[in-house]
Structures are given as C-alpha cells and as structure tokens.
C-alpha cells in the first residue's frame, strides 16, 4: 500500500460520547483513536449538495468530520428527490444548503456545518478553499470542475472528484502538490473540455439514482483515507464503475510530460464554450409567441429535437420527433418542409439552438427555436404538462 501522511493533525482527546458514537471506527486498525481524532479536526468542503454531495455529506457527517463546508445556491426540486437523499419531501422549495445542514445536524450534532450560500466562482473559490483541508467536488458541470481543479491547485489542497451519468461513474483524487511526486490534476485526465452539447448533462440524459450512493460513498471513503492517512488513495488512478456490468476498472493516470503548473484561474465558461448560447441568437421564439402562432391560420411545423425517452415522458401537442443527433448527421434536413416555417424545441433551449445552427448552415433559413425550451413552455403556456 502507498499511504500518504495523514492530511490532518489529531484533535484533542475523544469524549465519552465520541467513543460511544464512533466505536465501530475505533475498532478498525487504520482508523482507531488516532484516525478518529484526525477526523474530528478535519475541515472538509463539499461543493454541491446534489446527487453526489448528498451521500458524501451524510457519510462524512456520520463518520465525525469535525467541520463540513457546503457550497450550494440551489433549491430542492421534485426531480432531485430520486437521488439527492439528504433532502426529503418536506424540503421541496427550500435552499439545498439549509436542508442539508438540517439533515447533518440530525445525523451528527457534533459536526460544525458552514453553508456558503453562493455559486462557486473565480472571485470566491481560492479564498473559500483556503479555509479547508480537503475539497470534495460534487458538481455537475465542466466549467465548475475546471474551476475546482485550478482553485484547489492554487490553494494547495487535494480534492476528491466524482462524476456520474446514467449507469456509469468515475472517481479520482487530484492534488497538484501531492507528496512523492504523485501530483495529477483533472487537466491531466481531461486536458480539454468536451465540445458544448456533445456530453449531455444528467438533466438531459438521466442518471440512475443508486449510482450516486456508490460513487458518493467512494468519494467519502477517499476523503476519510486522506484525512487519516489510511490506505492507498486514488491519486494517479481513475476508478471507473459500470453498474450494468457490475464492474470496476482502475486506470492509471500520469502527469503529462512538461505540463505547466497551474498559476492562475481563467474564464471557465469561455474555456468550456458555455459562455455564449449557441449563435442561434435572435432566431428564437418566446413560448407565448409560439402558442399564438400555433393557433393561427399558418402554424409552423413544430419539431422536438429531444431523445425518444424524453418524448415519451411529455411533449407539445402536434410536434414531430426528430432527435438532435439527426441534425448533426444531416439526416434531419430531408424530414423538414422547405416551404413552411419550422420551430425546434428541446428541454431547455440548448440542444434546439445547436440543431438550429446546423439547419442554418445547411441553408434552411426559415427556422427558429423555442427560447427556454419545454421548461419555459410549461411555465408560461401550459402548466398542466408535467416537467421532468
Ligand atoms: N458553481 C457551483 N457552485 C455551487 N454549487 C454548484 C455549482 N455548480 C453546481 N452546483 C450544485 O451541484 C449540485 C449538482 O448535483 P446534481 O447534478 O445531482 O443536481 P441538480 O443540478 O439539482 O440536478 P439536475 O440538473 O438533474 O436538475 C447541484 O445542487 C448544483 O446546484
């Protein structure tokens, strides 16, 4: 085993209550009283109290991490409850940070919870990271992941990273300044972000709820190992889990030869191509305008560019399904009329804007896309439709 020195110094003695509460940890060689005292002294920052953040926060709290920070700005929605188990039915509409803090207090009142009620951004990341020993990234977007990576490097902190999609997940530990030259960062795994629109988010592609527990619990495990100096952390390795095959693979990861040190933050939205909405620009149509147009004498042809699974959940009446992938391949063009206006829509307006760009490039100009997608349509036009 290639254990690292423990990240955190031990706290003062354990109390009687600590000994009773953590007794099953105290019995394990590798944690014991020494490891538990380190946990008590640990300050862990968890970014996002969502699918991954939920199990991470719950297990770190139960394990007795002394101080847990939560960075989260969002509120609990119905579609979160299938996997974000730190929140419950009675938390719907509440800030996730508040709900998570309450759950943690219920699990372990000895944990000090610091909720940073904000979006992690360039202007706050490094300062917040400096207040903690270890960062755990439970976020869901590439811009934030690169920011977490670079800010962790600038603050000199290790961080545990996890990612989930449908039935697959990945976990690793990144730390530019890791002892024994084991420093690898997220940029060594993914030097470049994927082209915008090529990797669907969980909101678009879906995620298997129990996968979050597997990956989140692995992330909490790595955090506890680093804090206590127990076992071999996933430094320089990525663990890949396939829930359908029920298999784990561990892939080696090296620092790219000559990779420069991270010395500053950059514009992550621009780096990831998510800064500007695709250049469909003013070729969008508002939901209410589309509703009027659909009931006019010359209604446009309405095209749903989502996946069939989404189409089967809910759709706008009268729409035809032509999935987004058929726009990339060019197959969509032959299915669209040249003599009538075409309006494309997706869930939130991102995929439809991309599909529209492909149509414009192919020469079909008489086309627009629904601004804000089906989500905006449901809010502004037809509240009777369910939203996912
Ligand atoms: N930059 C950021 N700062 C703070 N929290 C963030 C940031 N980026 C993402 N998050 C939070 O990370 C969590 C990610 O969790 P997850 O993807 O499971 O949830 P979600 O975004 O609610 O899901 P969905 O997109 O399916 O509705 C979210 O709660 C989100 O608010």
């Amino acid at each position: 085993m290639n254990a690292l020195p423990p990240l955190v110094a031990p706290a003062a003695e354990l109390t009687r209550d600590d000994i009773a509460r953590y007794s099953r940890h105290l019995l394990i060689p590798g944690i014991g009283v020494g490891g538990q005292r380190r946990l008590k002294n640990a300050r862990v920052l968890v970014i996002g109290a969502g699918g991954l953040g939920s199990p991470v926060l719950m297990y770190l709290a139960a394990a007795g991490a002394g101080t847990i920070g939560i960075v989260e700005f969002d509120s609990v929605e119905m579609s979160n409850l299938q996997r974000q188990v730190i929140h419950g039915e009675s938390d719907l509409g509440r800030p996730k940070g508040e709900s998570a803090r309450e759950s943690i207090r219920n699990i372990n009142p000895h944990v000090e919870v610091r909720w940073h009620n904000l979006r992690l951004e360039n202007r706050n990341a490094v300062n917040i990271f400096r207040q903690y020993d270890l960062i755990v990234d439970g976020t869901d977007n590439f811009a934030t992941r690169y920011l977490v990576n670079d800010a962790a490097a600038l603050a000199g902190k290790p961080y545990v990273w996890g990612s989930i999609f449908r039935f697959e997940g990945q976990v690793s530990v990144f730390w530019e300044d890791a002892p024994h030259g084991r420093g690898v960062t997220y940029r060594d795994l993914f030097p470049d972000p994927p082209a915008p629109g090529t990797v669907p988010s969980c909101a678009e592609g879906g995620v298997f709820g129990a996968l979050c527990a597997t990956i989140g619990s692995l992330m909490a495990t790595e955090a506890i190992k680093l804090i206590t100096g127990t076992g071999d952390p996933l430094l320089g390795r990525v663990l890949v889990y396939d829930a359908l095959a029920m298999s784990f693979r561990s892939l080696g990861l090296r620092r790219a030869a000559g990779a420069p040190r991270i010395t500053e933050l950059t514009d992550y939205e621009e780096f990831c191509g998510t800064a500007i909405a695709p250049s469909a620009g003013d070729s969008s149509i508002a939901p209410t305008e589309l509703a009027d147009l659909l009931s006019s004498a010359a209604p446009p042809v309405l095209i749903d560019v989502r996946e069939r699974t989404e189409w089967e959940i809910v759709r706008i009446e009268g729409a035809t399904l032509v999935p987004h992938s058929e726009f990339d391949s060019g197959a969509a063009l032959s299915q669209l009329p040249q003599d009538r206006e075409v309006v494309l829509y997706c869930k939130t307006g991102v995929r439809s804007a991309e599909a529209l760009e492909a149509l414009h490039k192919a020469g079909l100009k008489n086309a627009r896309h629904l601004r804000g997608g089906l989500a905006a349509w449901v809010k502004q036009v037809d509240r009777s439709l369910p939203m996912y």
Side-chain angles (χ1 to χ4, degrees):
M1 285 227 216
N2 294 307
L4 295 181
L7 195 62
V8 179
E13 294 306 307
L14 299 179
T15 63
R16 277 175 70 90
D17 184 88
D18 289 338
I19 289 170
R21 182 179 291 267
Y22 307 119
S23 62
R24 301 303 185 268
H25 265 174
L26 304 182
L27 296 169
I28 311 175
I31 297 195
V33 171
Q36 197 62 50
R37 284 171 56 200
R38 292 181 197 280
L39 273 165
K40 190 171 177 175
N41 224 10
R43 298 162 304 165
V44 186
L45 181 70
V46 179
I47 308 157
L52 291 176
S54 289
V56 168
L57 288 164
M58 293 166 86
Y59 276 102
L60 286 179
T67 303
I68 299 182
I70 305 170
V71 185
E72 181 61 82
F73 60 90
D74 202 5
S75 298
V76 181
E77 290 175 30
M78 184 65 93
S79 64
N80 298 152
L81 299 184
Q82 158 258 17
R83 67 193 181 286
Q84 301 184 19
V85 293
I86 201 164
H87 317 294
E89 183 80 17
S90 60
D91 299 314
L92 284 172
R94 285 178 80 196
K96 286 185 182 176
E98 190 182 291
S99 153
R101 184 171 57 192
E102 197 172 287
S103 299
I104 290 173
R105 285 196 180 138
N106 197 32
I107 292 168
N108 188 346
H110 303 294
V111 176
E112 182 189 332
V113 182
R114 296 184 196 158
W115 171 28
H116 302 269
N117 183 9
L118 45 81
R119 182 186 288 274
L120 193 81
E121 289 171 328
N122 285 25
R123 62 195 162 91
N124 53 37
V126 179
N127 274 343
I128 297 176
F129 285 15
R130 286 205 175 109
Q131 301 163 31
Y132 294 88
D133 301 305
L134 169 71
I135 319 297
V136 181
D137 182 6
T139 65
D140 57 349
N141 61 86
F142 290 99
T144 303
R145 288 189 186 138
Y146 282 101
L147 166 62
V148 171
N149 181 71
D150 294 359
L154 293 181
K157 310 287 173 166
Y159 82 98
V160 181
W161 163 81
S163 149
I164 42 173
F165 183 65
R166 295 189 173 160
F167 288 101
E168 285 184 14
Q170 302 171 30
V171 193
S172 192
V173 176
F174 299 115
W175 191 2
E176 191 174 46
D177 292 319
H180 318 309
R182 293 174 71 188
V184 172
T185 82
Y186 182 69
R187 288 180 181 275
D188 295 305
L189 179 59
F190 297 114
D192 301 303
T198 54
V199 178
S201 66
C202 290
E204 290 169 328
V207 60
F208 183 60
L211 176 72
C212 301
T214 312
I215 299 299
S217 122
L218 291 170
M219 292 167 77
T221 303
E222 287 304 289
I224 293 169
K225 282 163 60 186
L226 287 167
I227 291 165
T228 56
T230 305
D232 188 11
L234 275 171
L235 274 172
R237 288 185 292 150
V238 186
L239 191 67
V240 181
Y241 169 59
D242 178 341
L244 289 182
M246 198 46 85
S247 68
F248 285 94
R249 280 178 305 146
S250 169
L251 311 172
L253 191 58
R254 284 231 174 88
R255 186 109 173 111
R261 274 191 71 83
I262 294 161
T263 53
E264 59 181 6
L265 302 181
T266 182
D267 183 334
Y268 297 95
E269 297 291 348
E270 195 187 322
F271 179 58
C272 294
T274 43
I276 330 138
S279 64
D282 53 5
S283 300
S284 64
I285 179 170
T288 45
E289 193 189 342
L290 176 62
D292 290 344
L293 215 55
L294 285 173
S295 53
S296 72
V301 174
L302 191 58
I303 303 292
D304 188 325
V305 306
R306 298 171 304 149
E307 298 303 315
R308 181 166 290 281
T309 46
E310 299 174 84
W311 163 265
E312 281 166 1
I313 301 170
V314 55
R315 54 190 173 246
I316 300 178
E317 200 186 329
T320 303
L321 178 68
V322 183
H324 180 257
S325 53
E326 299 193 16
F327 287 80
D328 293 337
S329 68
L333 208 57
S334 60
Q335 302 175 52
L336 302 179
Q338 306 289 321
D339 54 347
R340 280 174 65 190
E341 188 186 13
V342 171
V343 175
L344 312 177
Y345 78 87
C346 64
K347 184 178 179 188
T348 60
V350 175
R351 284 172 288 174
S352 59
E354 284 157 4
L356 185 63
E357 216 180 332
L359 283 190
H360 284 170
K361 277 191 189 140
L364 198 147
K365 300 289 178 200
N366 195 13
R368 290 191 277 176
H369 84 114
L370 177 61
R371 200 154 59 234
L374 190 60
W377 176 267
V378 170
K379 272 197 187 125
Q380 296 172 33
V381 175
D382 189 353
R383 286 190 165 271
S384 71
L385 292 180
M387 201 48 206
Y388 58 101

